[in-house]
Amino acid sequence: MAKLKENHKLRIVGVVSDGLEAIQKAGELQPDLILLDIGLPKVNGIVAARRIRDVAPNSKILFLSQTLDLNVAQGALCEGGHGFLVKSDAERELFAAIGDVMQGKRFLSRRLASPALAGDVVSEGASHLDGEAIASPTISMSANRDVGRCHEVNFYSDDSLFLDMSTRFLSAALSAGDAAVFIGTATHRTTLLETLHAEGPDTQTATGQGRYIGLNAAEFISDFIANDMPDTGSFLKVVDDLIVGARKGVEGEHLRVAVCSECAHILWAQGKADAAIRLEELWNQIATTYNVSILCGYSPESLRCEEDSYTFRRICEEHSAVQSL
């Protein structure tokens, strides 16, 4: 965290290590400026910004990201950001960004600037340059173009409903020429593949081309779990490898990958609610930063929503859409 003195130098008043801490400190310190990385652990920067608007409504938010994706920048600014700074340009643009944001203007790194994103921010009581700031350290995530956040959750009352939803979700991706991944139990994987084959020649061709990948959920989870919690670095490495593998069968540069996963549901069913929430936070980072659509499935038998309403609410918060079947 920082504060600008009379000579216009920033005075750091706090530094945080994750999104949840950023929300907490923003509420406590009410800084004039928050430097917020998009790729934060626990809660990503965009989700954190939504909550910061409630706890520190007068704080200006300057997003930092390694991505050069205009859609990601647009989404960040729509979620309450007053500026979007590409990290690799920070050395020459940081102070200009801070100056514009603190004067109530919208800042966008020059390499991303366009008429659609340029212009002033409509804000009451635009601040002068002096102020306090909260800064977040950064982690890097690779990104692709045409990113649109799609991270849906499906609470299903019957396996057949979940499989039908998953089939339609993945079949639509395959029919569009994209890649599709299902991470689930052996029974669900077998049934889903049979259903996809029955859908018609398009999906049969897609599976033959390797555009469809079916993975054992328990084995997938074991690759990134440490001490009963998802390890961020391991998870990002596993998912990055998965996305690269899925795209090998796809023609074109910027096509999407559709991922349907039961992993968080499995963790919750094992009584590991914190691990399930953390995994959904990580999937949310993937949905925000990568060119990936995600559908998560939960069976009400394992949810016990009335007994664990907090976890249920937190799971819902990490998704762009919630469905109940």
Side-chain angles (χ1 to χ4, degrees):
M1 304 175 188
K3 185 174 184 178
L4 281 169
K5 300 179 181 180
E6 292 183 359
N7 59 1
H8 301 293
K9 291 184 178 179
L10 279 172
R11 178 170 67 88
I12 303 298
V13 295
V15 177
V16 300
S17 59
D18 59 61
L20 288 178
E21 191 178 1
I23 299 166
Q24 178 187 349
K25 291 296 183 182
E28 293 176 0
L29 299 170
Q30 297 295 311
D32 293 313
L33 176 67
I34 299 172
L35 304 180
L36 191 63
D37 189 278
I38 285 183
L40 288 171
K42 295 189 178 179
V43 172
N44 72 51
I46 291 180
V47 174
R50 296 183 198 137
R51 302 183 194 171
I52 288 172
R53 286 185 304 181
D54 295 328
V55 300
N58 295 321
S59 297
K60 300 291 192 296
I61 297 176
L62 174 58
F63 281 105
L64 296 97
S65 176
Q66 194 60 47
T67 182
L68 294 175
D69 193 301
L70 194 58
N71 289 315
V72 174
Q74 177 81 73
L77 294 175
C78 287
E79 290 297 341
H82 295 79
F84 189 94
L85 177 63
V86 176
K87 294 177 191 175
S88 57
D89 297 335
E91 184 175 354
R92 62 176 178 271
E93 294 187 350
L94 177 58
F95 289 103
I98 292 174
D100 281 358
V101 167
M102 293 303 293
Q103 294 176 50
K105 298 178 181 178
R106 173 170 288 177
F107 178 87
L108 187 68
S109 283
R110 280 183 290 178
R111 284 196 285 171
L112 292 175
S114 74
L117 289 176
D120 292 344
V121 174
V122 178
S123 60
E124 298 180 1
S127 172
H128 55 286
L129 195 57
D130 294 334
E132 296 180 348
I134 175 173
S136 65
T138 61
I139 62 173
S140 62
M141 293 177 65
S142 58
N144 292 286
R145 298 177 183 173
D146 303 322
V147 175
R149 179 174 177 262
C150 177
H151 182 203
E152 301 180 2
V153 61
N154 178 1
F155 297 102
Y156 59 92
S157 57
D158 183 87
D159 275 13
S160 62
L161 296 174
F162 170 65
L163 290 170
D164 180 62
M165 181 74 173
S166 301
T167 300
R168 286 188 280 117
F169 179 76
L170 299 177
S171 179
L174 294 173
S175 297
D178 294 335
V181 179
F182 182 77
I183 310 170
T185 65
T187 301
H188 285 171
R189 292 200 314 276
T190 300
T191 303
L192 184 63
L193 183 57
E194 291 174 351
T195 307
L196 285 174
H197 279 161
E199 286 283 301
D202 288 344
T203 53
Q204 291 180 21
T205 301
T207 55
Q209 292 172 337
R211 287 195 285 120
Y212 172 77
I213 297 175
L215 298 176
N216 182 299
E219 294 179 359
F220 184 77
I221 291 171
S222 68
D223 287 338
F224 59 79
I225 286 289
N227 299 319
D228 288 334
M229 287 293 290
D231 176 77
T232 300
S234 298
F235 176 80
L236 296 179
K237 175 64 166 60
V238 168
V239 172
D240 193 66
D241 290 345
L242 174 61
I243 292 173
V244 170
R247 285 185 172 143
K248 286 182 178 178
V250 179
E251 296 182 1
E253 291 186 47
H254 304 301
L255 300 180
R256 298 185 72 86
V257 177
V259 178
C260 185
S261 171
E262 297 183 276
C263 295
H265 155 72
I266 291 173
L267 290 173
W268 198 347
Q270 293 173 348
K272 301 173 182 176
D274 289 342
I277 293 173
R278 179 64 184 136
L279 181 56
E280 292 292 21
E281 291 171 347
L282 291 172
W283 277 125
N284 201 31
Q285 290 186 34
I286 297 299
T288 301
T289 312
Y290 285 82
N291 199 3
V292 175
S293 299
I294 303 167
L295 174 65
C296 300
Y298 288 81
S299 167
E301 292 182 3
S302 69
L303 295 184
R304 302 183 297 278
C305 297
E306 293 183 0
E307 301 174 24
D308 195 3
S309 58
Y310 169 77
T311 305
F312 178 73
R313 178 174 59 81
R314 286 289 294 109
I315 291 293
C316 292
E317 285 179 351
E318 292 303 323
H319 292 84
S320 59
V322 179
Q323 303 177 58
S324 180
L325 299 175

Short mmCIF file of all heavy atoms in Angstrom, two decimals, residues 235-277:
data_model
loop_
_atom_site.label_atom_id
_atom_site.label_comp_id
_atom_site.label_asym_id
_atom_site.label_seq_id
_atom_site.Cartn_x
_atom_site.Cartn_y
_atom_site.Cartn_z
N PHE A 235 -1.22 -26.83 -10.43
CA PHE A 235 -2.48 -26.80 -11.17
C PHE A 235 -2.31 -26.08 -12.50
O PHE A 235 -2.76 -26.57 -13.55
CB PHE A 235 -3.56 -26.10 -10.33
CG PHE A 235 -4.87 -25.95 -11.06
CD1 PHE A 235 -5.76 -27.00 -11.15
CD2 PHE A 235 -5.20 -24.75 -11.67
CE1 PHE A 235 -6.97 -26.87 -11.84
CE2 PHE A 235 -6.40 -24.60 -12.35
CZ PHE A 235 -7.29 -25.67 -12.43
N LEU A 236 -1.68 -24.91 -12.49
CA LEU A 236 -1.50 -24.16 -13.72
C LEU A 236 -0.66 -24.93 -14.73
O LEU A 236 -0.91 -24.88 -15.94
CB LEU A 236 -0.86 -22.80 -13.42
CG LEU A 236 -1.70 -21.84 -12.57
CD1 LEU A 236 -0.94 -20.54 -12.34
CD2 LEU A 236 -3.04 -21.56 -13.22
N LYS A 237 0.34 -25.66 -14.24
CA LYS A 237 1.18 -26.47 -15.13
C LYS A 237 0.35 -27.61 -15.74
O LYS A 237 0.42 -27.86 -16.96
CB LYS A 237 2.35 -27.05 -14.34
CG LYS A 237 3.24 -28.03 -15.13
CD LYS A 237 3.93 -27.33 -16.29
CE LYS A 237 5.05 -28.19 -16.86
NZ LYS A 237 4.58 -29.49 -17.38
N VAL A 238 -0.45 -28.28 -14.91
CA VAL A 238 -1.27 -29.39 -15.40
C VAL A 238 -2.28 -28.90 -16.44
O VAL A 238 -2.46 -29.51 -17.50
CB VAL A 238 -2.00 -30.08 -14.23
CG1 VAL A 238 -3.07 -31.03 -14.74
CG2 VAL A 238 -1.00 -30.84 -13.35
N VAL A 239 -2.94 -27.78 -16.14
CA VAL A 239 -3.94 -27.25 -17.07
C VAL A 239 -3.29 -26.74 -18.35
O VAL A 239 -3.83 -26.93 -19.44
CB VAL A 239 -4.77 -26.14 -16.39
CG1 VAL A 239 -5.67 -25.44 -17.39
CG2 VAL A 239 -5.60 -26.73 -15.26
N ASP A 240 -2.14 -26.10 -18.23
CA ASP A 240 -1.44 -25.62 -19.42
C ASP A 240 -1.09 -26.78 -20.33
O ASP A 240 -1.28 -26.70 -21.55
CB ASP A 240 -0.19 -24.84 -19.01
CG ASP A 240 0.41 -24.06 -20.17
OD1 ASP A 240 -0.26 -23.12 -20.64
OD2 ASP A 240 1.52 -24.40 -20.61
N ASP A 241 -0.57 -27.87 -19.76
CA ASP A 241 -0.26 -29.06 -20.56
C ASP A 241 -1.52 -29.63 -21.20
O ASP A 241 -1.49 -30.09 -22.36
CB ASP A 241 0.40 -30.13 -19.67
CG ASP A 241 1.82 -29.74 -19.25
OD1 ASP A 241 2.39 -28.81 -19.84
OD2 ASP A 241 2.34 -30.36 -18.30
N LEU A 242 -2.62 -29.62 -20.44
CA LEU A 242 -3.88 -30.15 -20.95
C LEU A 242 -4.37 -29.34 -22.14
O LEU A 242 -4.78 -29.89 -23.17
CB LEU A 242 -4.93 -30.14 -19.84
CG LEU A 242 -6.36 -30.53 -20.24
CD1 LEU A 242 -6.39 -31.96 -20.77
CD2 LEU A 242 -7.30 -30.38 -19.05
N ILE A 243 -4.32 -28.02 -22.03
CA ILE A 243 -4.80 -27.15 -23.10
C ILE A 243 -3.93 -27.31 -24.35
O ILE A 243 -4.43 -27.38 -25.47
CB ILE A 243 -4.82 -25.69 -22.63
CG1 ILE A 243 -5.90 -25.51 -21.56
CG2 ILE A 243 -5.08 -24.74 -23.79
CD1 ILE A 243 -5.89 -24.15 -20.90
N VAL A 244 -2.62 -27.38 -24.14
CA VAL A 244 -1.71 -27.58 -25.28
C VAL A 244 -2.03 -28.91 -25.97
O VAL A 244 -2.10 -28.99 -27.20
CB VAL A 244 -0.24 -27.56 -24.82
CG1 VAL A 244 0.68 -28.02 -25.94
CG2 VAL A 244 0.15 -26.16 -24.36
N GLY A 245 -2.25 -29.97 -25.18
CA GLY A 245 -2.57 -31.27 -25.74
C GLY A 245 -3.90 -31.27 -26.49
O GLY A 245 -4.03 -31.85 -27.57
N ALA A 246 -4.89 -30.59 -25.93
CA ALA A 246 -6.21 -30.55 -26.56
C ALA A 246 -6.17 -29.80 -27.88
O ALA A 246 -6.89 -30.14 -28.82
CB ALA A 246 -7.22 -29.89 -25.62
N ARG A 247 -5.32 -28.79 -27.98
CA ARG A 247 -5.27 -27.97 -29.19
C ARG A 247 -4.48 -28.62 -30.31
O ARG A 247 -4.47 -28.11 -31.44
CB ARG A 247 -4.69 -26.60 -28.87
CG ARG A 247 -5.68 -25.71 -28.13
CD ARG A 247 -5.16 -24.32 -27.93
NE ARG A 247 -6.20 -23.44 -27.39
CZ ARG A 247 -5.99 -22.50 -26.51
NH1 ARG A 247 -4.79 -22.28 -26.05
NH2 ARG A 247 -6.98 -21.74 -26.08
N LYS A 248 -3.79 -29.71 -30.03
CA LYS A 248 -3.00 -30.35 -31.08
C LYS A 248 -3.89 -30.85 -32.20
O LYS A 248 -3.47 -30.92 -33.35
CB LYS A 248 -2.19 -31.51 -30.49
CG LYS A 248 -0.99 -31.06 -29.66
CD LYS A 248 -0.19 -32.25 -29.14
CE LYS A 248 1.03 -31.77 -28.36
NZ LYS A 248 1.81 -32.91 -27.80
N GLY A 249 -5.12 -31.23 -31.87
CA GLY A 249 -6.03 -31.73 -32.90
C GLY A 249 -6.91 -30.66 -33.50
O GLY A 249 -7.83 -30.97 -34.26
N VAL A 250 -6.65 -29.40 -33.16
CA VAL A 250 -7.49 -28.30 -33.62
C VAL A 250 -6.76 -27.47 -34.67
O VAL A 250 -5.60 -27.10 -34.48
CB VAL A 250 -7.90 -27.39 -32.43
CG1 VAL A 250 -8.76 -26.23 -32.93
CG2 VAL A 250 -8.64 -28.19 -31.39
N GLU A 251 -7.42 -27.18 -35.76
CA GLU A 251 -6.85 -26.33 -36.79
C GLU A 251 -7.21 -24.89 -36.50
O GLU A 251 -8.35 -24.57 -36.15
CB GLU A 251 -7.37 -26.74 -38.18
CG GLU A 251 -6.94 -28.15 -38.58
CD GLU A 251 -7.43 -28.50 -39.98
OE1 GLU A 251 -8.08 -27.64 -40.59
OE2 GLU A 251 -7.18 -29.62 -40.43
N GLY A 252 -6.25 -23.98 -36.67
CA GLY A 252 -6.50 -22.57 -36.39
C GLY A 252 -5.76 -22.15 -35.13
O GLY A 252 -5.38 -22.98 -34.30
N GLU A 253 -5.61 -20.84 -34.95
CA GLU A 253 -4.78 -20.32 -33.87
C GLU A 253 -5.52 -20.09 -32.57
O GLU A 253 -5.03 -20.37 -31.50
CB GLU A 253 -4.15 -18.99 -34.30
CG GLU A 253 -3.10 -19.15 -35.38
CD GLU A 253 -2.42 -17.83 -35.66
OE1 GLU A 253 -2.03 -17.16 -34.69
OE2 GLU A 253 -2.31 -17.46 -36.83
N HIS A 254 -6.73 -19.55 -32.60
CA HIS A 254 -7.35 -19.03 -31.40
C HIS A 254 -8.70 -19.68 -31.10
O HIS A 254 -9.64 -19.03 -30.67
CB HIS A 254 -7.51 -17.52 -31.50
CG HIS A 254 -6.22 -16.82 -31.78
ND1 HIS A 254 -5.14 -16.91 -30.94
CD2 HIS A 254 -5.84 -16.04 -32.81
CE1 HIS A 254 -4.14 -16.21 -31.44
NE2 HIS A 254 -4.53 -15.68 -32.57
N LEU A 255 -8.81 -20.97 -31.37
CA LEU A 255 -10.05 -21.66 -31.09
C LEU A 255 -10.14 -22.01 -29.61
O LEU A 255 -9.15 -22.11 -28.91
CB LEU A 255 -10.16 -22.93 -31.95
CG LEU A 255 -10.14 -22.66 -33.47
CD1 LEU A 255 -10.25 -23.96 -34.23
CD2 LEU A 255 -11.29 -21.72 -33.86
N ARG A 256 -11.36 -22.22 -29.16
CA ARG A 256 -11.60 -22.44 -27.73
C ARG A 256 -11.42 -23.90 -27.36
O ARG A 256 -11.43 -24.80 -28.20
CB ARG A 256 -13.01 -22.00 -27.35
CG ARG A 256 -13.29 -20.53 -27.56
CD ARG A 256 -14.65 -20.15 -27.06
NE ARG A 256 -14.70 -20.15 -25.60
CZ ARG A 256 -14.36 -19.11 -24.85
NH1 ARG A 256 -13.94 -18.00 -25.41
NH2 ARG A 256 -14.43 -19.17 -23.55
N VAL A 257 -11.28 -24.12 -26.06
CA VAL A 257 -11.29 -25.46 -25.49
C VAL A 257 -12.42 -25.48 -24.47
O VAL A 257 -12.51 -24.61 -23.61
CB VAL A 257 -9.95 -25.80 -24.80
CG1 VAL A 257 -10.03 -27.17 -24.14
CG2 VAL A 257 -8.80 -25.76 -25.79
N ALA A 258 -13.32 -26.46 -24.58
CA ALA A 258 -14.41 -26.62 -23.63
C ALA A 258 -14.02 -27.71 -22.63
O ALA A 258 -13.63 -28.81 -23.03
CB ALA A 258 -15.70 -26.99 -24.35
N VAL A 259 -14.10 -27.39 -21.34
CA VAL A 259 -13.71 -28.34 -20.29
C VAL A 259 -14.91 -28.58 -19.37
O VAL A 259 -15.48 -27.63 -18.83
CB VAL A 259 -12.53 -27.81 -19.46
CG1 VAL A 259 -12.19 -28.80 -18.34
CG2 VAL A 259 -11.32 -27.56 -20.34
N CYS A 260 -15.27 -29.83 -19.20
CA CYS A 260 -16.33 -30.21 -18.26
C CYS A 260 -15.66 -31.02 -17.15
O CYS A 260 -14.99 -32.03 -17.42
CB CYS A 260 -17.39 -31.04 -18.97
SG CYS A 260 -18.81 -31.43 -17.93
N SER A 261 -15.83 -30.58 -15.89
CA SER A 261 -15.07 -31.17 -14.79
C SER A 261 -15.94 -31.51 -13.59
O SER A 261 -16.85 -30.76 -13.22
CB SER A 261 -13.96 -30.20 -14.35
OG SER A 261 -13.33 -30.65 -13.17
N GLU A 262 -15.64 -32.67 -12.97
CA GLU A 262 -16.27 -33.07 -11.72
C GLU A 262 -15.30 -32.98 -10.54
O GLU A 262 -15.62 -33.41 -9.44
CB GLU A 262 -16.76 -34.52 -11.83
CG GLU A 262 -17.83 -34.76 -12.86
CD GLU A 262 -18.31 -36.21 -12.83
OE1 GLU A 262 -17.65 -37.06 -13.48
OE2 GLU A 262 -19.31 -36.49 -12.16
N CYS A 263 -14.13 -32.39 -10.76
CA CYS A 263 -13.06 -32.45 -9.75
C CYS A 263 -13.45 -31.76 -8.44
O CYS A 263 -13.24 -32.31 -7.35
CB CYS A 263 -11.79 -31.82 -10.31
SG CYS A 263 -11.09 -32.72 -11.71
N ALA A 264 -13.99 -30.54 -8.51
CA ALA A 264 -14.35 -29.84 -7.29
C ALA A 264 -15.46 -30.57 -6.55
O ALA A 264 -15.46 -30.64 -5.31
CB ALA A 264 -14.78 -28.41 -7.62
N HIS A 265 -16.40 -31.14 -7.29
CA HIS A 265 -17.47 -31.93 -6.69
C HIS A 265 -16.90 -33.11 -5.91
O HIS A 265 -17.33 -33.42 -4.80
CB HIS A 265 -18.42 -32.42 -7.77
CG HIS A 265 -19.17 -33.65 -7.43
ND1 HIS A 265 -20.20 -33.69 -6.51
CD2 HIS A 265 -19.03 -34.94 -7.88
CE1 HIS A 265 -20.67 -34.92 -6.41
NE2 HIS A 265 -19.97 -35.69 -7.23
N ILE A 266 -15.89 -33.77 -6.49
CA ILE A 266 -15.27 -34.91 -5.83
C ILE A 266 -14.59 -34.49 -4.54
O ILE A 266 -14.71 -35.16 -3.50
CB ILE A 266 -14.28 -35.61 -6.79
CG1 ILE A 266 -15.05 -36.29 -7.92
CG2 ILE A 266 -13.40 -36.60 -6.05
CD1 ILE A 266 -14.17 -36.86 -9.01
N LEU A 267 -13.88 -33.37 -4.57
CA LEU A 267 -13.23 -32.87 -3.36
C LEU A 267 -14.26 -32.54 -2.28
O LEU A 267 -14.08 -32.85 -1.11
CB LEU A 267 -12.40 -31.63 -3.69
CG LEU A 267 -11.14 -31.86 -4.53
CD1 LEU A 267 -10.51 -30.53 -4.92
CD2 LEU A 267 -10.13 -32.71 -3.76
N TRP A 268 -15.36 -31.90 -2.67
CA TRP A 268 -16.40 -31.56 -1.71
C TRP A 268 -17.03 -32.82 -1.12
O TRP A 268 -17.28 -32.91 0.08
CB TRP A 268 -17.46 -30.71 -2.40
CG TRP A 268 -18.35 -29.95 -1.43
CD1 TRP A 268 -18.47 -30.14 -0.09
CD2 TRP A 268 -19.22 -28.89 -1.76
NE1 TRP A 268 -19.37 -29.26 0.45
CE2 TRP A 268 -19.85 -28.47 -0.57
CE3 TRP A 268 -19.54 -28.24 -2.95
CZ2 TRP A 268 -20.79 -27.44 -0.54
CZ3 TRP A 268 -20.47 -27.22 -2.91
CH2 TRP A 268 -21.09 -26.82 -1.71
N ALA A 269 -17.27 -33.82 -1.98
CA ALA A 269 -17.86 -35.08 -1.51
C ALA A 269 -16.95 -35.78 -0.52
O ALA A 269 -17.42 -36.55 0.33
CB ALA A 269 -18.15 -35.99 -2.71
N GLN A 270 -15.65 -35.53 -0.62
CA GLN A 270 -14.67 -36.11 0.32
C GLN A 270 -14.57 -35.30 1.61
O GLN A 270 -13.75 -35.62 2.48
CB GLN A 270 -13.30 -36.19 -0.35
CG GLN A 270 -13.24 -37.17 -1.51
CD GLN A 270 -11.91 -37.09 -2.27
OE1 GLN A 270 -11.11 -36.17 -2.07
NE2 GLN A 270 -11.67 -38.08 -3.12
N GLY A 271 -15.37 -34.25 1.74
CA GLY A 271 -15.33 -33.41 2.93
C GLY A 271 -14.27 -32.33 2.89
O GLY A 271 -13.97 -31.71 3.91
N LYS A 272 -13.70 -32.06 1.70
CA LYS A 272 -12.64 -31.06 1.56
C LYS A 272 -13.22 -29.79 0.93
O LYS A 272 -12.92 -29.43 -0.21
CB LYS A 272 -11.50 -31.62 0.71
CG LYS A 272 -10.89 -32.90 1.29
CD LYS A 272 -9.88 -33.52 0.34
CE LYS A 272 -9.33 -34.82 0.92
NZ LYS A 272 -8.41 -35.50 -0.03
N ALA A 273 -14.06 -29.11 1.70
CA ALA A 273 -14.76 -27.94 1.17
C ALA A 273 -13.79 -26.82 0.78
O ALA A 273 -13.95 -26.18 -0.26
CB ALA A 273 -15.76 -27.43 2.20
N ASP A 274 -12.79 -26.56 1.62
CA ASP A 274 -11.82 -25.50 1.32
C ASP A 274 -11.08 -25.79 0.02
O ASP A 274 -10.81 -24.89 -0.77
CB ASP A 274 -10.83 -25.34 2.46
CG ASP A 274 -11.45 -24.73 3.71
OD1 ASP A 274 -12.54 -24.12 3.58
OD2 ASP A 274 -10.87 -24.85 4.79
N ALA A 275 -10.74 -27.07 -0.18
CA ALA A 275 -10.05 -27.46 -1.41
C ALA A 275 -10.95 -27.28 -2.63
O ALA A 275 -10.49 -26.85 -3.70
CB ALA A 275 -9.57 -28.90 -1.31
N ALA A 276 -12.24 -27.57 -2.47
CA ALA A 276 -13.18 -27.41 -3.58
C ALA A 276 -13.31 -25.94 -3.96
O ALA A 276 -13.30 -25.59 -5.15
CB ALA A 276 -14.55 -27.98 -3.19
N ILE A 277 -13.42 -25.06 -2.95
CA ILE A 277 -13.52 -23.63 -3.21
C ILE A 277 -12.26 -23.13 -3.91
O ILE A 277 -12.31 -22.38 -4.88
CB ILE A 277 -13.75 -22.85 -1.90
CG1 ILE A 277 -15.12 -23.17 -1.33
CG2 ILE A 277 -13.62 -21.34 -2.14
CD1 ILE A 277 -15.36 -22.58 0.04
#
